Amino acid sequence: MHRLVFCGFMFATFAGAADLAGTWQNEVQGRGGQTFVTTCVFKIEGNKITGMYATPQRAYDIEKGAVDGAEFTFQIADGFQTPPRITEFKGALNGDRFELTTVIPAGAPARAGGRAPQGPRTFKRISADVVFHTPPELARTHQPFPPFQPIATNGLAKTPPMGWNSWNKFAGRVDDKSVREIADAMVASGMRDAGYIYVNIDDTWEGARDKDGNITTNEKFPDMKALADYVHSKGLKIGIYSSPGRKTCAGYEGSYGHEQQDANTWAAWGFDYLKYDWCSATGVYRPDEMKSAYHKMAVALRNTGRPFIYSLCQYGELNVGEWGAAAGANLWRTTGDISDNWRSMSSIGFDQQIGREVFAGPGHWNDPDMLEIGNGGMTTTEYRTHMSLWSILAAPLLAGHDVRTMPDFTRDILLNKEVIAIDQDPAGIQGTHVRKDGAEGQTLEVWKKPLAKGVAIGLFNRSLENAPMTVKWAEVGITSANPKVRDLWAHRDITDAPSEYTVTVPAHGVVLLRVE
Ligand code: GLA
């Protein structure tokens, strides 16, 4: 009897394992409107799983794969992170489908934005094939790079770039008409005159390549040159987007193998700014080739003779601050994507920029991602914190809302000239925190940014209760007695603070001071 039960259990385990062998796929719709396919190819030996886990961007070897009855686990390692980032998966087989869940290891730090682990995804059996056939888009065809030589600065972005980008609000819905209307609204609202000069088209403008390999636009953008001319006629500049890989993050045509040709096309259209987003390049370049792949486009842009602000988007991997400027960048992203909520914004802004300030300066900036101000996911108080923190960080100020319908309370944040002046201060020093008090995630934080004249001080309250905060001028390096103190959101001078200042800071809010 005992023996029979035991045999039955063994049989179930074995049958579950064998049933998992084969090729499986999951499809999801991306924000850019394209379908993304993830493929699992499982080979089973006993209770061990080997094979591949392939996103549209990259194929990973399956590591530590094990099956136990209908349940299985495996992990993949991302060598673009130092140390390599391990992602663990847990699956449950049910006939010709399985549910796959990303396991968040206990104690792992919260990850901000769009690259957070996903919920369960359903994979369907495609075939019994246990061999992974590398798709053409992941084939490596480039020649080895020559030894890396830093490129001289392009002399642009002496202060952090300011403007607008389509992705946060419009994603795949951006088109010629909306870009023209945004340009009009940037003039009418005063954004242009406040310094927001760049109108940047993010992903989803791309069409196929023509017979000569030239990149074309899709039906949303009938005439890029005419659009660039229009934006220029408004006293604005215009930006475009691509990837060093074969595909962009939204699955459109990237610049792999066409770098100079694409730079020439963008220059001929009249573009002034490029955001170059790693994404599928992870499938065709090794980690040690990343900086050369970015350098290659910097050279291609330089060869056009047209000035381009060059923005790297590779989520802060491989200590980009150490080599971004040498690869020709004026700015580089430092994290995964921001989302329009307090948790994402505060984690990126407060926690994930610390220590990077040494890499920022005129011409080369850390980029904690675009602004979400005006998109509706945070309160006015929280958006004021977002604007203040980005300004103390000397971050690029790229608005990401619908400028055409901007209410006054959003305009008052984005167009606060005294706060913009902190961001755009000519000394170009990225601020950092001086002090953090209280429980993690609930801290009261004092930040400072040295200015060409004086210092900006942010008193930030990350807790859920209004709280009194005090800053002593001596702790932020101000030695003069009775300094000039200005509250940049209240727009008033503070006259009764000879050596320190105490103020109640609202929950999730800020008091931003300029002290000279
Ligand atoms: C990535 C970038 C985003 C945006 C999208 C477009 O996720 O980090 O800022 O450019 O790609 O597909």
Side-chain angles (χ1 to χ4, degrees), residues 219-277:
E219 63 290 348
K220 296 189 297 163
F221 289 93
D223 186 340
M224 275 300 201
K225 169 124 185 39
L227 177 57
D229 288 347
Y230 183 82
V231 171
H232 288 148
S233 78
K234 299 283 161 180
L236 295 159
K237 292 178 184 284
I238 185 163
I240 200 154
Y241 166 101
S242 190
S243 171
R246 283 201 178 83
K247 295 285 177 202
T248 66
C249 289
Y252 288 76
E253 195 67 21
S255 293
Y256 185 76
H258 295 273
E259 291 82 0
Q260 190 63 61
Q261 201 173 9
D262 287 358
N264 294 346
T265 301
W266 302 325
W269 286 341
F271 278 86
D272 309 295
Y273 185 120
L274 172 67
K275 172 174 168 183
Y276 206 38
D277 193 351

Side-chain angles (χ1 to χ4, degrees), residues 115 167 202-203 241 249-250 275 277 313 315 333 337 370:
R115 283 156 203 285
W167 184 253
D202 206 278
D203 205 350
Y241 166 101
C249 289
K275 172 174 168 183
D277 193 351
C313 180
Y315 338 112
R333 278 272 295 279
D337 292 8
M370 303 166 294

